[in-house]
Amino acid sequence: MDRRRFLGGLGALTLANAARADQETFRRFHAALERNPSLGVYADTVGSQLGEAAIGGRIPKDLQGSFYRNGPGRFELGGERYHHWFDGDGFVQRWTIAGGKVRHQGRFVETRRYLDESQAGEFLYPAFGTYVARRGFRDNDTLNAANTNLVPLDGRLYALWEGGSAYEVDPETLATKGVKTWRDDLRAMPFSAHPKLDPQGGMWNFGALPGSSRIALYQIGADGAVVRTGLVEVPQQAMVHDFAVSSKHLIFLIPPYDLKEGKELSFADRHVWAGDGPAARPLRVVVVTKDTLKVRQVFELPPRMVFHFGNAWEDGACTRFDTVLHEGDVLKDLGSLMAGEQRANAQGRSEAVQICLDYEGRRARVSRLLGPSEFPRVSPLVVGGRHRRLVLLGSDKHKSSARLDTVNLVDLDSGKVDGYRFDAGWQVEEHVLVPRRNARSETDGYLVGVAQDLRKGVGVMTVFDAARVSAGPVALARLPYRTPHCFHGNFLSA
């Protein structure tokens, strides 16, 4: 791994001057919050959380363990507010299930950024969608928000961002232990928030530095030691958030963005959508062979934006994988939430699909699975292999705002959807499949997630029977307070 060569493009990530966190965004959000209390999902969080949940229904006796979650929690400081949802400081959460009871705890990851800015009483460093230039910084880890995922591995727990190192936190108390350096020469290297566990043990991950035309590859052993690293060249690469791993390949989707220079632009605003007009660029599928860590083939699809993958598996001479495709530049839509603006529920802007990569025919064939959706997940029993169920959150086409409010389990063989729709007063977060001990199928277990009761302003853990999602939750664990809306997490069975 040529760390110096890879980080040579660091300026593309961090050295642009841009819009600052400001009092006007703060004012606009709080004025909107008074009119629309459901925006409390994106309100600022101060301090730690600790509480017991009131159980509606019954927690299954064989469901015991920790449901770890992570997402942005602090958006405001010194009377200023960030411009983008992705900017907030990481707030990690643990829902502990034991003996039919649920206990919740949450606390901020004490990153260098969080500690420095807390002490100063104001934002100091650039964030994804907001630029602040009050203090210089050494590398990406000075800017690390640790706000995207929470991943257990080998008895340890890691809070992940994507532009810098993992942060280790205590699995019991969630106290921050510090930056995780997988190897000395990998310090401060980008390390994606979406590592994939390997059925043979350990995990795979990548690090993408927009503007560098390079993606770093990591294979981490079950003991947390680095097995292999590599670099692949990917020209015109901007934001790459996730990837898929099959038994033989690593699969990346490269959305058509250009990165422009500009002293008045944030990093997010430097992303210029290049998927429209006569010169539109395609969505590229880059396939890397796990044995060699070299690019095997590149496919092209119509221009789309991509955040998340489901799973990938080898189907004879083809590779199949699930993902969610979005129309156009959705990064800016997500930014408006910080000012209290919710985008309209425009149907057709996203769809979940399965893509078949035909290497011999050099074609990528796309099959639609579900309409407007996000956060695909599969059972941990089938990662990297053949799977028959895909979890997806969906959006009710009759709602005026683009709010995720349905939980769905899609049968990939029949196309049937086993889904449950929450009513108008709820907003749903990512749900994960939790298999029973010695599970015999992907639906032999539970579907566990979090939903926000917007009317009462509280966080609720949800538990479904994975074989009967449409029957509704078998249990709701309701807290007496609101929890910050999380992006991703994982369940660790006791």
Side-chain angles (χ1 to χ4, degrees):
M1 175 73 71
D2 188 342
R3 178 177 179 274
R4 182 184 298 273
R5 175 170 168 250
F6 188 83
L7 292 178
L10 183 61
L13 176 64
T14 60
L15 298 183
N17 192 3
R20 299 175 180 274
D22 57 55
Q23 296 177 350
E24 176 60 19
T25 303
F26 181 99
R27 184 197 65 76
R28 289 170 60 194
F29 176 79
H30 285 276
L33 181 61
E34 288 186 12
R35 299 189 301 269
N36 181 8
S38 71
L39 287 169
V41 171
Y42 310 108
D44 194 49
T45 300
V46 178
S48 299
Q49 295 180 334
L50 182 65
E52 298 285 338
I55 309 299
R58 184 181 64 85
I59 300 290
K61 291 182 180 180
D62 59 348
L63 180 62
Q64 299 197 51
S66 297
F67 187 30
Y68 292 111
R69 306 282 294 147
N70 192 4
R74 181 166 72 179
F75 303 109
E76 299 170 3
L77 195 60
E80 297 176 330
R81 184 171 172 87
Y82 279 135
H83 293 171
H84 201 286
W85 190 17
F86 295 174
D87 292 348
D89 290 288
F91 190 86
V92 291
Q93 301 179 43
R94 181 190 183 199
W95 298 77
T96 306
I97 307 172
K101 297 181 179 181
V102 176
R103 179 174 178 267
H104 173 267
Q105 61 193 115
R107 63 193 299 172
F108 282 101
V109 184
E110 294 182 348
T111 63
R112 171 50 51 200
R113 184 183 90 158
Y114 178 80
L115 293 174
D116 286 353
E117 294 181 337
S118 295
Q119 183 177 31
E122 61 180 356
F123 293 127
L124 301 173
Y125 304 117
F128 174 79
T130 315
Y131 194 87
V132 182
R134 293 186 174 117
R135 184 178 296 180
F137 52 90
R138 184 182 67 179
D139 54 31
N140 279 3
D141 280 347
T142 309
L143 315 179
N144 196 332
N147 68 359
T148 310
N149 204 350
L150 198 54
V151 176
L153 177 70
D154 188 34
R156 299 177 183 270
L157 187 65
Y158 300 105
L160 303 179
W161 190 43
E162 60 188 46
S165 302
Y167 259 86
E168 185 177 353
V169 299
D170 188 282
E172 295 293 326
T173 67
L174 302 182
T176 302
K177 290 190 169 184
V179 170
K180 169 64 177 179
T181 300
W182 302 99
R183 202 169 65 195
D184 288 345
D185 62 320
L186 301 179
R187 182 184 60 80
M189 286 281 289
F191 192 81
S192 151
H194 285 285
K196 298 295 188 288
L197 296 181
D198 193 312
Q200 284 73 48
M203 67 183 183
W204 289 87
N205 204 2
F206 73 98
L209 189 65
S212 72
S213 296
R214 292 183 290 275
I215 292 179
L217 307 173
Y218 311 101
Q219 184 182 9
I220 309 294
D223 60 355
V226 176
V227 177
R228 284 189 298 165
T229 64
L231 281 176
V232 291
E233 296 288 335
V234 182
Q236 295 180 300
Q237 173 240 132
M239 181 175 177
V240 180
H241 179 68
D242 193 3
F243 74 137
V245 178
S246 71
S247 60
K248 296 181 179 179
H249 299 103
L250 313 177
I251 301 166
F252 300 89
L253 290 180
I254 315 299
Y257 278 103
D258 289 323
L259 285 178
K260 66 179 178 181
E261 297 298 330
K263 293 185 177 180
E264 303 302 322
L265 299 175
S266 71
F267 175 61
D269 288 336
R270 290 184 59 213
H271 280 71
V272 179
W273 182 249
D276 295 325
R281 294 208 309 273
L283 170 67
R284 287 173 290 157
V285 184
V286 177
V287 182
V288 175
T289 302
K290 289 167 77 172
D291 286 347
T292 64
L293 298 187
K294 304 294 183 183
V295 174
R296 173 180 178 179
Q297 203 160 320
V298 178
F299 299 84
E300 294 186 352
L301 290 168
R304 295 290 187 274
M305 175 56 185
V306 177
F307 287 110
H308 300 118
F309 291 77
N311 190 37
W313 58 285
E314 304 300 333
D315 184 11
C318 298
T319 302
R320 295 181 182 270
F321 66 95
D322 323 299
T323 189
V324 176
L325 303 179
H326 295 266
E327 292 275 0
D329 183 7
V330 297
L331 285 178
K332 290 182 174 59
D333 292 336
L334 292 170
S336 64
L337 292 170
M338 288 296 96
E341 300 168 5
Q342 291 180 308
R343 61 186 175 93
N345 194 7
Q347 292 298 298
R349 288 204 64 182
S350 72
E351 62 178 355
V353 301
Q354 186 169 97
I355 298 175
C356 177
L357 302 178
D358 179 354
Y359 296 106
E360 185 175 344
R362 306 191 68 83
R363 292 182 55 214
R365 296 189 295 273
V366 180
S367 301
R368 186 177 186 272
L369 300 175
L370 193 69
S373 52
E374 249 303 345
F375 297 104
R377 294 291 296 252
V378 298
S379 169
L381 300 176
V382 296
V383 172
R386 173 73 163 96
H387 63 292
R388 290 178 168 80
R389 297 292 190 275
L390 181 68
V391 179
L392 287 162
L393 302 187
S395 180
D396 185 345
K397 64 182 180 181
H398 300 296
K399 302 289 177 60
S400 60
S401 62
R403 180 181 297 152
L404 295 171
D405 52 16
T406 69
V407 180
N408 307 281
L409 197 57
V410 181
D411 186 320
L412 301 182
D413 293 328
S414 69
K416 293 181 179 179
V417 178
D418 182 17
Y420 178 81
R421 187 181 307 283
F422 287 81
D423 66 26
W426 292 78
Q427 181 164 325
V428 184
E429 299 180 19
E430 177 190 63
H431 279 54
V432 303
L433 283 166
V434 181
R436 289 188 177 93
R437 190 180 302 274
N438 301 318
R440 292 170 291 181
S441 72
E442 295 165 56
T443 58
D444 187 7
Y446 305 100
L447 187 60
V448 180
V450 173
Q452 302 287 336
D453 184 340
L454 303 176
R455 297 161 303 183
K456 297 186 178 180
V458 299
V460 183
M461 191 190 77
T462 64
V463 181
F464 294 84
D465 182 337
R468 289 177 290 276
V469 176
S470 59
V474 299
L476 294 175
R478 182 182 296 270
L479 293 173
Y481 48 82
R482 176 187 69 84
T483 55
H485 193 296
C486 289
F487 291 144
H488 302 290
N490 296 276
F491 195 95
L492 183 63
S493 294

